[in-house]
Amino acid sequence: MFFWEDLLEECNKALMEFNPSNEGIRRRQLFDDIRFMESEQGWSIPLGRFQYSRKVYYRYEDLSFSISNQPLNDAEAEQIKSALQIFTRFKGTPQFEWVNEMIPMLESRFGLIDRKNEVIRFESNVDLKGIEFLMPLFNAIINERVLIANYKDFKSSIYYQITFHPYYLKQYNNRWFVFGLNSDKLVPNWNLALDRIESLSETRLKYIPSETDWEEYFYDLIGVTRPEGIGIKEVALRFSPEVAPYVITKPLHPSQKFKNDPSGLEVRINVIPNFELERLVLSFGEQVRVISPQDFCERISQRLKSAGHLY
């Protein structure tokens, strides 16, 4: 026989075991939770209330009942169906073979066989070279492992080895990059493109944690390249009226400020000018003009002239 005091004691004992600093719940929270468990949104539990002397004790009317054996309600089933639709996007992708086994099991366990057609699709490239290194790098970061990477950058014709302490994975323009410490060159923000990696192997070397706030590191950048010796600059751009709505609804950078009028859109962003920013500006072709800074304006002008010589 469990009276409400017994239930409250057991709940708080479990909460204390999970988190010793937890202050527990009080009588009102207990009864709110019981009402939820009895509702259709909860588990519709068959809870009985039985008089004993002047007090009431609680137990399931069906003593074999367990919420662990309850079927999903409609709302929960729809949520899991939607989640499975997303998981199916990873089927067949290297390092995600477990999805092939998990989806049929979930569909069978929760009675979700009658799936609808897909309603969402992510931009992805399952054939992207180097994608097989994504999970090993992720595990190395989580478990703090030092790696030996056989790598060939765009400037090299042969592979070379790097002793690498991985810290951060970032995707940009459908390519994956990993940032970490190159302990051979003592560079703490070394950048490896996954599609340029030949192989990875773990070492027993001591892992050196990063002190970099990587969210902050990338905030002033478009893309992944951070040029040495170049600080943050205000870049001013003038867009034609035709592309103004696109740039307003899809900002170039979180710092973007703009002034819009019938003659066009003036945008100002505070970033570190880099190769990716140049490519982004060039992608707008004749519908954008760089106003400032002057050196960035000259680089874009020179690249456009070089492109013009090809025609």
Side-chain angles (χ1 to χ4, degrees):
M1 295 184 292
F2 286 89
F3 300 96
W4 73 263
E5 294 92 343
D6 302 314
L7 295 174
L8 186 65
E9 181 181 355
E10 289 298 320
C11 286
N12 286 331
K13 186 187 299 182
L15 289 170
M16 287 289 290
E17 290 176 357
F18 179 74
N19 180 6
S21 64
N22 195 300
E23 297 181 357
I25 62 171
R26 308 211 182 274
R27 181 175 182 272
R28 180 176 177 180
Q29 179 68 58
L30 174 69
F31 284 107
D32 285 344
D33 290 343
I34 288 175
R35 279 194 293 272
F36 174 76
M37 294 172 70
E38 290 180 298
S39 71
E40 292 184 1
Q41 291 75 26
W43 291 273
S44 299
I45 63 172
L47 189 65
R49 294 164 173 80
F50 303 92
Q51 193 74 31
Y52 181 80
S53 185
R54 294 184 178 182
K55 301 178 68 177
V56 173
Y57 68 89
Y58 301 82
R59 76 177 182 206
Y60 289 141
E61 293 176 345
D62 176 3
L63 296 183
S64 65
F65 177 86
S66 170
I67 61 174
S68 300
N69 298 328
Q70 282 291 89
L72 299 173
N73 61 36
D74 291 343
E76 292 169 331
E78 286 302 317
Q79 288 174 338
I80 290 185
K81 283 183 182 180
S82 298
L84 287 177
Q85 291 294 324
I86 295 175
F87 273 123
T88 57
R89 298 296 307 126
F90 295 93
K91 290 180 69 174
T93 303
Q95 307 298 325
F96 285 92
E97 294 85 355
W98 53 271
V99 172
N100 298 333
E101 301 176 4
M102 183 192 69
I103 290 177
M105 181 271 290
L106 289 175
E107 290 178 333
S108 174
R109 171 66 177 82
F110 296 117
L112 304 175
I113 302 299
D114 56 333
R115 287 185 293 155
K116 300 177 182 178
N117 294 330
E118 289 189 32
V119 296
I120 184 171
R121 183 177 181 88
F122 294 97
E123 184 178 357
S124 61
N125 181 1
V126 298
D127 298 320
L128 181 66
K129 187 178 185 299
I131 195 69
E132 67 272 17
F133 298 120
L134 183 61
M135 193 59 70
L137 285 165
F138 176 82
N139 289 332
I141 294 171
I142 296 300
N143 297 306
E144 299 188 340
R145 298 289 189 265
V146 182
L147 304 173
I148 295 294
N150 283 321
Y151 190 75
K152 181 171 69 173
D153 58 39
F154 289 108
K155 299 178 182 179
S156 175
S157 59
I158 59 173
Y159 286 94
Y160 54 91
Q161 285 192 344
I162 299 173
T163 306
F164 192 68
H165 303 240
Y167 298 142
Y168 193 82
L169 285 160
K170 182 175 176 62
Q171 187 183 34
Y172 178 72
N173 198 25
N174 266 343
R175 296 180 69 206
W176 280 96
F177 302 84
V178 60
F179 289 77
L181 167 65
N182 180 337
S183 57
D184 301 321
K185 295 182 178 292
L186 299 179
V187 179
N189 56 351
W190 198 263
N191 171 357
L192 299 179
L194 268 62
D195 55 10
R196 308 295 294 179
I197 297 175
E198 171 68 15
S199 64
L200 292 173
S201 58
E202 285 194 10
T203 74
R204 295 183 177 273
L205 296 174
K206 181 177 176 58
Y207 183 87
I208 302 174
S210 173
E211 298 181 357
T212 300
D213 182 337
W214 292 99
E215 294 295 323
E216 183 71 21
Y217 178 88
F218 287 108
Y219 182 81
D220 301 317
L221 296 175
I222 289 177
V224 296
T225 306
R226 191 182 184 99
E228 293 293 332
I230 299 179
I232 301 173
K233 296 186 178 182
E234 184 182 67
V235 178
L237 307 167
R238 183 75 179 179
F239 291 91
S240 68
E242 289 77 16
V243 298
Y246 174 84
V247 179
I248 292 173
T249 56
K250 188 180 179 182
L252 307 180
H253 187 262
S255 66
Q256 176 169 309
K257 297 179 180 179
F258 64 89
K259 294 180 181 179
N260 195 16
D261 58 54
S263 65
L265 174 73
E266 182 175 312
V267 166
R268 294 181 179 271
I269 55 176
N270 293 307
V271 295
I272 298 174
N274 59 4
F275 177 72
E276 289 92 331
L277 177 60
E278 291 181 26
R279 292 190 62 179
L280 178 61
V281 171
L282 290 168
S283 71
F284 287 95
E286 75 284 0
Q287 293 181 315
V288 65
R289 179 172 64 88
V290 178
I291 301 174
S292 64
Q294 185 60 34
D295 58 341
F296 186 68
C297 178
E298 291 172 357
R299 286 208 304 275
I300 296 298
S301 174
Q302 185 57 50
R303 292 190 63 174
L304 288 171
K305 291 175 182 176
S306 298
H309 292 156
L310 298 176
Y311 297 91

